[in-house]
Amino acid sequence: MRLLSTNSGPYRSFLRVSGLVLASALVLPLGACANSDSSAAPQAVSSPEVATALPAVTVGLTYIPNIQFAPAYAAVSEKNFGAQQVELRHHGQNEGLFNALRSGQENFVIAGADEAAVAAEQADDLLVVSPYYEQHPVEVLATKDSGIKSLSDLKGKRVGVPGRFGENWFGLLLALKSVGLAPEDVQIVEIGYTQRAAFSSGRVDALVGFKNNDAVQFQTLDLGATAIEIPTQGKLLGASIITTKKYAQANPASVKNVVKGFFKTYGDLAQDPNLAMQASGAYIPDLNEKAISEAAKATWQATLPLLPQSATCQNFGPTQGTQMVEFLKSSGLITKPVDGASLVTSEFCQ
């Protein structure tokens, strides 16, 4: 993702993952190491249900098929959207995160609410209607030789991020600010999507990674990473279901049904340990192969705790939107007026 622009370069989202282990798990091109042809038509799979009163909708899923999208896959396979026809559309590698949503090619997209807040500088058209992750997924991962045991220990250390954009960057700024540090107090190393190599080679002392991606890879490879929590509660909202204000105003019943379908699925996935793998098999090639299956299972086990744990929205709404925007503004990530209270709503999440 290129910060502040959805029209230039690869706008990578929260599910933009990297590394050899999980990449091979989902047919090599999983996430940041993906070599997908961005010129190819994005994969689309439709719900078999026939639409009735509710309009057919397209839900955007960022980049290639991934077990982290199991709630979307399962919602379709379990027919949790009822009679509403739902198409799942995976983005091309270099596609802007919100471009298809804004153009009307998609009606919803799964993306970071914090990324939507930054993108809202361009136009006041986005609306975050429901959490997809109830917890923000980023954390600091420190090498065993770095001596880093807490966020305060980052001072003077080499800290890796893909670049100065996106949820990794937002998380680092929050981590530093929470202990009275500034970016100038650490050595920021822009490592692209080479987390595993940068970590294992000693190029960095720590990096900001994802609990259900980098941390899983490092544990699988026995890299001895020390995980340090970032206090995101009340400051950042992570992966969410996002639409446009125009669409929500014109189709409130559709928005409510989509949100309801996802929440039904969160409960289904919590109750049935096998559902995620079963539903994802139709989307992820070779998921039945042992290495791919094992890596996908490990990723899913780390993803499940991030999902909403209750039947309705918790700690999600205009107040959280305002707090998030205030933090992003204070960190210089938003420089133009953005109304957090009108960006995030719990109206459709009852």
Side-chain angles (χ1 to χ4, degrees):
M1 154 181 56
R2 305 286 187 189
L3 186 62
L4 304 183
S5 174
T6 59
N7 297 312
S8 62
Y11 200 91
R12 297 177 174 87
S13 79
F14 74 101
L15 286 174
R16 190 64 171 161
V17 296
S18 64
L20 177 62
V21 174
L22 293 187
S24 64
L26 301 185
V27 194
L28 293 181
L30 173 62
C33 292
N35 293 315
S36 61
D37 181 3
S38 60
S39 64
Q43 178 179 350
V45 181
S46 299
S47 165
E49 293 287 345
V50 178
T52 56
L54 295 177
V57 296
T58 299
V59 179
L61 307 177
T62 45
Y63 311 106
I64 64 175
N66 188 300
I67 192 69
Q68 297 171 55
F69 290 120
Y73 302 151
V76 171
S77 70
E78 297 301 295
K79 302 180 181 180
N80 286 345
F81 298 117
Q84 186 172 27
Q85 182 179 345
V86 177
E87 180 179 87
L88 304 179
R89 176 184 179 272
H90 280 283
H91 287 189
Q93 184 178 11
N94 296 314
E95 181 177 342
L97 184 56
F98 299 109
N99 285 7
L101 181 66
R102 283 171 158 161
S103 70
Q105 186 177 3
E106 295 172 355
N107 308 105
F108 302 88
V109 67
I110 307 299
D114 43 14
E115 295 177 316
V118 173
E121 278 198 319
Q122 300 176 20
D124 181 26
D125 59 344
L126 300 178
L127 185 65
V128 184
V129 296
S130 170
Y132 183 85
Y133 286 172
E134 197 168 61
Q135 299 180 41
H136 203 281
V138 300
E139 63 185 354
V140 171
L141 296 168
T143 66
K144 59 184 178 181
D145 297 325
S146 67
I148 298 172
K149 303 296 182 183
S150 68
L151 296 179
S152 298
D153 295 333
L154 292 175
K155 186 173 183 178
K157 302 293 187 179
R158 298 166 299 164
V159 184
V161 289
R164 300 185 186 222
F165 53 79
E167 293 190 293
N168 305 72
W169 179 239
F170 304 162
L172 175 58
L173 294 182
L174 178 55
L176 295 175
K177 193 167 188 176
S178 70
V179 292
L181 297 176
E184 296 75 23
D185 294 319
V186 301
Q187 301 176 52
I188 296 171
V189 183
E190 298 187 29
I191 59 176
Y193 291 91
T194 62
Q195 287 94 327
R196 183 178 66 88
F199 195 90
S200 60
S201 68
R203 185 184 174 195
V204 298
D205 300 305
L207 56 78
V208 179
F210 286 77
K211 298 175 182 178
N212 58 335
N213 172 34
D214 305 289
V216 176
Q217 293 184 47
F218 294 174
Q219 182 177 6
T220 302
L221 295 170
D222 196 23
L223 294 181
T226 299
I228 304 171
E229 193 76 16
I230 298 173
T232 55
Q233 186 69 33
K235 298 293 183 182
L236 290 176
L237 291 174
S240 302
I241 301 173
I242 301 169
T243 186
T244 63
K245 293 176 179 177
K246 180 179 179 180
Y247 183 84
Q249 183 176 11
N251 302 278
S254 175
V255 178
K256 191 166 186 177
N257 188 65
V258 168
V259 170
K260 179 182 178 181
F262 270 99
F263 267 86
K264 173 66 167 62
T265 309
Y266 302 146
D268 291 346
L269 290 165
Q271 293 296 318
D272 185 353
N274 299 314
L275 179 56
M277 295 292 289
Q278 292 170 353
S280 299
Y283 300 81
I284 302 172
D286 302 322
L287 190 59
N288 60 336
E289 293 187 6
K290 183 177 180 181
I292 295 174
S293 176
E294 289 179 352
K297 287 178 181 177
T299 300
W300 177 245
Q301 287 303 309
T303 300
L304 189 57
L306 302 176
L307 301 178
Q309 304 298 304
S310 62
T312 59
C313 292
Q314 298 290 320
N315 299 316
F316 182 90
T319 298
Q320 287 69 37
T322 298
Q323 293 172 338
M324 175 178 63
V325 168
E326 287 176 352
F327 164 71
L328 294 171
K329 286 180 177 178
S330 70
S331 299
L333 295 165
I334 293 178
T335 59
K336 297 178 182 178
V338 173
D339 183 4
S342 68
L343 175 70
V344 180
T345 180
S346 59
E347 176 185 352
F348 305 99
C349 191
Q350 305 296 330

